[in-house]
Amino acid sequence: MSPKFLFLQQFIRHPRMVGSVIPTSDIAIHALLDPVDWQDVRCVVEYGPGTGVFTRRILERLGPDARLIAIDTNPMFVTHLRQHMADPRLICVEGSAADVEAILAREGFEAADYIISGLPFSTLPPAVADDIAAATARAIRPGGQFLVYQYSRFVLARLEANFANVAQGMVWRCIPPARLFWARKGDDVGAALSDAESLAVA
């Protein structure tokens, strides 16, 4: 089964969890990931990798000793990633993003440098969305970031409730236009977020 057909099939079956009828565009992916300094990254977590369009781009940027933990509740997507991405840096987990702390500990990490999410916060049950946002804030190291791509501003209130510094960007050259968010843990934000925001607007 092709990745595009698998994605469409799972959207039809689970529209509230998949959130979009088409995978994220390359333009939005680069806009979200390019501002990151990948040189010292050791652990990245991805929520809702789906068929792996973001996963591939993250792996392209990761160093040889880094790890990417991809967490998805959909067993079809997890199986697809395991079968089609034979990369020793990739750890595929069937589970909930709300359990990210336990998953990190199980894989031998105290915290993640970055967590990247395309989960549709606007359609998740409110209690689940709250749990994921709070767990994410605890799971990221000081100075690390939660990178989020959405098609609405619905997630912003939860980011601002859990992170002191949140920058936003917009990518118009994709369908539908994507909203991007960088939420940093800690107080050392400053220009880095402003630079990220300016790069995201396209």
Side-chain angles (χ1 to χ4, degrees), residues 101 129-139 158 162-163:
E101 294 165 284
D130 288 342
D131 287 347
I132 290 173
T136 300
R138 294 191 300 265
R158 287 185 170 85
N162 289 278
F163 295 88

Side-chain angles (χ1 to χ4, degrees), residues 66-98:
R67 295 292 181 269
L68 169 58
I69 302 173
I71 304 172
D72 208 304
T73 58
N74 189 317
M76 295 290 291
F77 286 145
V78 173
T79 298
H80 176 84
L81 291 179
R82 288 172 176 166
Q83 290 177 346
H84 295 279
M85 290 194 185
D87 191 313
R89 299 170 300 168
L90 177 61
I91 302 167
C92 299
V93 177
E94 182 183 341
S96 170

Side-chain angles (χ1 to χ4, degrees), residues 156-187:
L156 181 59
R158 287 185 170 85
L159 294 179
E160 292 179 335
N162 289 278
F163 295 88
N165 300 276
V166 181
Q168 303 176 59
M170 191 82 182
V171 176
W172 295 100
R173 291 185 296 144
C174 61
I175 301 174
R179 294 184 178 273
L180 309 180
F181 303 87
W182 296 263
R184 186 183 291 263
K185 181 174 180 177
D187 299 325

Side-chain angles (χ1 to χ4, degrees), residues 1-15 18 20-23 51 74-77 80:
M1 183 184 301
S2 73
K4 288 184 179 180
F5 183 80
L6 175 61
F7 195 92
L8 176 61
Q9 179 195 68
Q10 295 306 305
F11 173 80
I12 293 170
R13 292 180 177 177
H14 311 285
V18 177
S20 173
V21 70
I22 57 174
T51 57
N74 189 317
M76 295 290 291
F77 286 145
H80 176 84

